């Protein structure tokens, strides 16, 4: 072999070594992030999820990818979005913002691991076998918001003790609505109050619901937990102000934009825990062996400016228990 041909052969082989090395490296895992709400809302929860991933050594773009799918509160879009993630062979599906999101993910696959954040009891809703041993391909975090409805009513009545008729803004399209209403009706009977359910599953329903608040002389209102409502919190808070009705919400973000009060579990910690579980599954853990995480911290927020605008005096005992007061 001539010297020039030998040098060309060696040089060509050397050029292929990096390509061969790269080909031998494992592909970066991809997480499918399925959300029933919109991308513009609750970016802090997504940040908390990423923080949880970071605790297990994963960083988006460095050693893990994330495919995002948002339904913008249109739950009928979720089955197709979930099926799309499964077809892309993601390593894990993270299902958040609504029971319909989890239902769509579970219906789409029985093999791809699923990590959820849910507002209700995943056992009652049929997603897992038990809290300690979920079974199957699914696990996650529950916020048990249905079980906090009675506490929300009690706190609202401390602020509006003369309220006899309590309205409930609820989305009939969400399966978690029924257990919330059952808990609330039981609590209301025990407290001698009447419940008036106001259904809303589209934005057009909001004006109608608040018109009923005026017509039926509803004294105070609870907004049920639902991502559809969360996405439209500014609109709901504005309607509450216009109709001058005291309203209790689940999420602190409502109070930050002018809502009267909120009481519920800390969602940031829940999403962080979901990130941790996702990281553990990427490292080989099986969802069936990961117990359902439950909240340990609940937050009470009160907006004094809104209370004053409604002519309400917040009892000192209630203020003393508030985790945050907006003045």
């Amino acid at each position: 072999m001539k010297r020039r041909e030998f040098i060309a052969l060696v040089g060509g082989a050397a050029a292929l070594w990096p390509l061969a090395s790269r080909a031998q490296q494992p592909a970066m895992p991809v997480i499918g992030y399925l959300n029933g709400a919109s991308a513009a809302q609750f970016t802090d929860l997504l940040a908390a999820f990423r923080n949880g991933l970071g605790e297990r050594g994963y960083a988006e773009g460095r050693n893990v990818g994330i495919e995002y799918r948002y339904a913008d509160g249109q739950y009928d879009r979720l089955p197709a979005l979930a099926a799309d993630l499964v077809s892309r062979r993601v390593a894990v599906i993270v299902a958040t913002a609504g029971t319909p999101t989890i239902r769509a993910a579970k219906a789409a696959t029985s093999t791809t691991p699923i990590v959820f954040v849910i507002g209700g009891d995943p056992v009652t809703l049929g997603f897992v076998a038990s809290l300690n041993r979920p079974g199957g391909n699914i696990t996650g975090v529950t916020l048990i918001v249905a079980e906090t409805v009675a506490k929300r009513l009690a706190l609202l009545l401390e602020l509006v003790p003369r309220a006899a008729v309590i309205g409930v803004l609820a989305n009939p399209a969400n399966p978690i609505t029924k257990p919330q209403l059952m808990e609330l009706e039981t609590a209301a009977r025990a407290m001698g109050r009447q419940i008036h359910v106001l259904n809303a599953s589209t934005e057009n329903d909001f004006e109608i619901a608040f018109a009923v608040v005026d017509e039926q002389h509803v004294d105070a209102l609870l907004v049920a937990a639902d991502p559809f409502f969360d996405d439209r919190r500014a609109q709901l808070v504005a309607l509450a102000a216009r109709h001058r009705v005291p309203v209790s919400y689940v999420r602190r973000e409502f109070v930050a934009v002018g809502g009267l009060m909120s009481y519920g579990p800390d969602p940031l910690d829940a999403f962080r825990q979901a990130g941790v579980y996702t990281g553990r599954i990427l490292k080989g853990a099986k969802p069936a062996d990961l117990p359902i995480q439950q909240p340990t911290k609940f937050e009470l927020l009160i907006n004094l400016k809104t209370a004053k605008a409604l002519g309400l005096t917040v009892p000192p005992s209630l203020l003393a228990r508030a985790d945050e007061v907006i003045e």
Side-chain angles (χ1 to χ4, degrees), residues 5 50-51 76 82 112 119 152 155 167 173 185 196 205 207 215 219 229 239 249 289 304 306:
E5 293 173 343
R50 289 177 176 143
N51 288 340
D76 58 340
T112 303
R152 288 178 59 203
L155 291 169
E185 287 169 356
H196 192 108
D205 295 333
E207 291 283 355
E215 294 168 3
D219 300 309
F229 298 150
L239 282 167
Y249 308 91
D289 298 331
L304 284 181
T306 302

Side-chain angles (χ1 to χ4, degrees), residues 225-250:
D226 193 285
F228 175 70
F229 298 150
D230 297 342
D231 258 4
R232 292 153 181 82
R233 58 188 180 278
Q235 183 180 353
L236 290 173
V237 168
L239 282 167
R242 192 203 315 167
H243 290 265
R244 294 186 57 77
V245 58
V247 184
S248 166
Y249 308 91
V250 176

Side-chain angles (χ1 to χ4, degrees), residues 168-173 177 180-181 197-201 222-226 229:
V168 189
L169 187 68
N171 183 1
T177 294
Q180 289 184 81
L181 292 178
V197 179
L198 307 166
N199 288 323
S201 54
L222 281 92
V223 173
D226 193 285
F229 298 150

Side-chain angles (χ1 to χ4, degrees), residues 286-298:
K286 295 181 179 179
D289 298 331
L290 298 176
I292 305 301
Q293 296 293 308
Q294 300 180 68
T296 57
K297 180 184 178 183
F298 294 83

Side-chain angles (χ1 to χ4, degrees), residues 73-114:
Q74 300 174 40
Y75 296 148
D76 58 340
R77 296 177 54 201
L78 287 165
L81 294 175
D84 178 52
L85 290 174
V86 173
S87 71
R88 292 175 183 272
R89 300 184 181 279
V90 296
V92 185
I93 293 176
V94 178
T96 69
T99 304
T101 310
I102 304 159
R103 183 164 288 172
K106 196 170 189 297
T109 179
S110 60
T111 54
T112 303
I114 298 170

Side-chain angles (χ1 to χ4, degrees), residues 1-286:
M1 183 181 292
K2 294 181 180 179
R3 181 173 180 272
R4 181 179 297 173
E5 293 173 343
F6 176 76
I7 292 173
L9 178 62
V10 173
L16 291 174
W17 291 338
L19 296 177
S21 176
R22 285 197 294 271
Q24 292 171 1
Q25 293 177 0
M28 180 186 295
V30 176
I31 298 166
Y33 191 86
L34 183 64
N35 191 290
S38 70
Q41 302 292 341
F42 306 117
T43 54
D44 56 335
L45 299 183
L46 178 56
F49 170 76
R50 289 177 176 143
N51 288 340
L53 275 177
E55 291 181 29
R56 305 305 299 182
Y58 289 97
E60 184 179 7
R62 179 170 60 83
N63 58 357
V64 69
I66 304 181
E67 287 274 348
Y68 298 96
R69 298 293 184 273
Y70 292 92
D72 298 320
Q74 300 174 40
Y75 296 148
D76 58 340
R77 296 177 54 201
L78 287 165
L81 294 175
D84 178 52
L85 290 174
V86 173
S87 71
R88 292 175 183 272
R89 300 184 181 279
V90 296
V92 185
I93 293 176
V94 178
T96 69
T99 304
T101 310
I102 304 159
R103 183 164 288 172
K106 196 170 189 297
T109 179
S110 60
T111 54
T112 303
I114 298 170
V115 176
F116 59 70
V117 178
I118 190 173
D121 181 355
V123 177
T124 302
L125 291 167
F127 292 132
V128 299
S130 71
L131 295 180
N132 290 330
R133 302 284 293 183
N137 64 320
I138 186 167
T139 188
V141 186
T142 175
L143 297 172
I144 57 170
V145 291
E147 287 78 358
T148 64
V149 173
K151 178 69 172 179
R152 288 178 59 203
L153 176 59
L155 291 169
L156 180 60
L157 290 177
E158 285 191 51
L159 188 54
V160 195
R162 295 184 179 180
V165 180
I166 310 296
V168 189
L169 187 68
N171 183 1
N174 193 335
I176 199 178
T177 294
K178 184 177 179 180
Q180 289 184 81
L181 292 178
M182 290 175 61
E183 290 281 342
L184 184 58
E185 287 169 356
T186 299
R189 281 196 299 270
M191 299 177 192
R193 264 51 176 203
Q194 178 185 343
I195 293 296
H196 192 108
V197 179
L198 307 166
N199 288 323
S201 54
T202 70
E203 290 190 27
N204 292 334
D205 295 333
F206 291 163
E207 291 283 355
I208 298 171
F210 276 88
V212 173
V213 167
D214 293 339
E215 294 168 3
Q216 299 296 323
H217 304 291
V218 172
D219 300 309
L221 182 68
L222 281 92
V223 173
D226 193 285
F228 175 70
F229 298 150
D230 297 342
D231 258 4
R232 292 153 181 82
R233 58 188 180 278
Q235 183 180 353
L236 290 173
V237 168
L239 282 167
R242 192 203 315 167
H243 290 265
R244 294 186 57 77
V245 58
V247 184
S248 166
Y249 308 91
V250 176
R251 303 181 69 103
R252 62 167 30 242
E253 290 87 354
F254 283 89
V255 181
V257 296
L260 176 61
M261 68 187 305
S262 68
Y263 178 78
D266 180 2
L268 292 177
D269 189 55
F271 275 74
R272 182 195 63 79
Q273 290 177 349
V276 169
Y277 263 17
T278 302
R280 290 182 63 180
I281 290 171
L282 289 176
K283 288 183 180 292
K286 295 181 179 179

